């Protein structure tokens, strides 16, 4: 069915994000893109509230330019996961009523937004008059934002350290707790889609 294919594509996109999630410098940080790709951890249920608002919003709010300037919590993979995998999501999407139509339109808006951001990030890394790849390669030059090549290297080291820290502190310690009794599995990333452990594997790889 269409939902099976949508879920498969969500999984592929999620895996791709996990493989580069640790890169927190350069184009991915422009315009809050990192948070817009994946607003997580989300201790205050910001994603849930954003989705509630979007499902009630006027159609103009889901137009590409407007949507991309909206609430970051409703724009990324965690929002998409809820629409596809939350309890009752399949029935809600397949109901054939106005609510289902709104959900499908919102799924399309999020997917379009993710694709647009991914294309923008890629283009800014490798294309244009001054791709960020060239900025890194020329670190230490007179017109470089990096005063010394060591500063560019440090960005990579910090990114790798952050990846391990995120896995340890948020993706493992928070849901596992200090004991089996204290475990809170619903604090795990992507628990609705059953991808929590695979995300950790991809992050560390």
């Amino acid at each position: 069915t269409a939902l099976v294919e949508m879920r498969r594509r969500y999984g592929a996109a999620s895996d791709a994000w996990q493989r580069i999630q640790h890169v927190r410098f350069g184009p991915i940080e422009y315009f809050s893109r990192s948070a817009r790709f994946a607003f997580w951890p989300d201790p205050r249920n910001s994603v849930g509230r954003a989705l509630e608002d979007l499902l009630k919003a006027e159609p103009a709010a889901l137009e590409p330019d407007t949507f991309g300037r909206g609430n970051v919590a409703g724009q990324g993979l965690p929002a998409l996961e809820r629409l596809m995998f939350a309890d009752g999501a399949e029935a809600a999407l397949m109901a054939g009523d106005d609510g289902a139509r709104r959900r499908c339109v919102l799924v399309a808006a999020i997917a379009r937004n993710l694709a647009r951001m991914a294309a923008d990030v890629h283009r800014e890394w490798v294309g244009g008059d001054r791709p960020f790849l060239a900025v890194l390669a020329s670190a230490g030059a007179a017109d470089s934002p990096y005063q010394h090549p060591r500063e560019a290297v440090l960005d990579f080291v910090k990114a790798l350290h952050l990846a391990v820290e995120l896995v340890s502190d948020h993706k493992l310690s928070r849901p596992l707790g200090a004991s089996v009794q204290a475990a809170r599995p619903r604090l795990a990333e992507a628990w609705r889609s059953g991808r929590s452990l695979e995300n950790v594997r991809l992050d560390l790889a």
Side-chain angles (χ1 to χ4, degrees):
T1 66
L3 182 57
V4 171
E5 178 62 12
M6 283 164 51
R7 285 174 168 174
R8 185 191 70 77
R9 293 191 181 201
Y10 162 82
S14 176
D15 288 355
W17 170 249
Q18 295 302 324
R19 292 187 179 102
I20 55 93
Q21 187 183 41
H22 61 284
V23 179
R24 299 294 180 97
F25 59 92
I28 193 66
E29 285 301 284
Y30 306 160
F31 312 111
S32 303
R33 285 173 178 148
S34 187
R36 289 164 62 202
F37 267 109
F39 190 88
W40 189 88
D42 181 20
R44 299 184 180 182
N45 191 33
S46 298
V47 172
R49 293 200 305 273
L51 286 176
E52 286 178 11
D53 291 342
L54 286 166
L55 287 169
K56 298 178 202 170
E58 294 296 320
L62 302 185
E63 290 298 315
D65 289 339
T66 306
F67 187 77
R69 294 194 302 269
N71 188 335
V72 299
Q75 293 188 31
L77 290 164
L80 205 53
E81 184 200 28
R82 289 198 189 206
L83 289 169
M84 291 187 189
F85 294 95
D87 290 342
E90 182 169 358
L93 283 167
M94 308 293 284
D97 56 10
D98 185 62
R101 183 192 64 79
R102 284 177 172 269
R103 287 174 179 272
C104 290
V105 170
L106 181 52
V107 165
I110 295 172
R112 186 170 55 235
N113 184 62
L114 287 167
R116 185 179 187 178
M117 284 196 295
D120 287 345
V121 170
H122 181 261
R123 185 181 63 253
E124 289 164 22
W125 263 94
V126 301
D129 294 334
R130 198 180 188 200
F132 193 72
L133 196 60
V135 171
L136 287 172
S138 63
D143 61 345
S144 173
Y146 295 105
Q147 294 184 7
H148 192 280
R150 282 194 299 267
E151 293 180 6
V153 174
L154 183 60
D155 266 351
F156 281 99
V157 174
K158 284 161 61 178
L160 293 172
H161 179 266
L162 177 63
V164 176
E165 193 174 58
L166 187 65
V167 166
S168 173
D169 294 350
H170 292 284
K171 300 194 180 190
L172 292 175
S173 294
R174 289 179 76 245
L176 288 175
S179 65
V180 172
Q181 292 73 24
R184 299 172 68 189
R186 291 194 173 190
L187 291 181
E189 183 185 37
W191 62 269
R192 292 174 180 84
S193 55
R195 307 191 72 82
S196 305
L197 184 57
E198 183 60 18
N199 285 0
V200 170
R201 290 190 179 114
L202 291 168
D203 291 341
L204 295 178

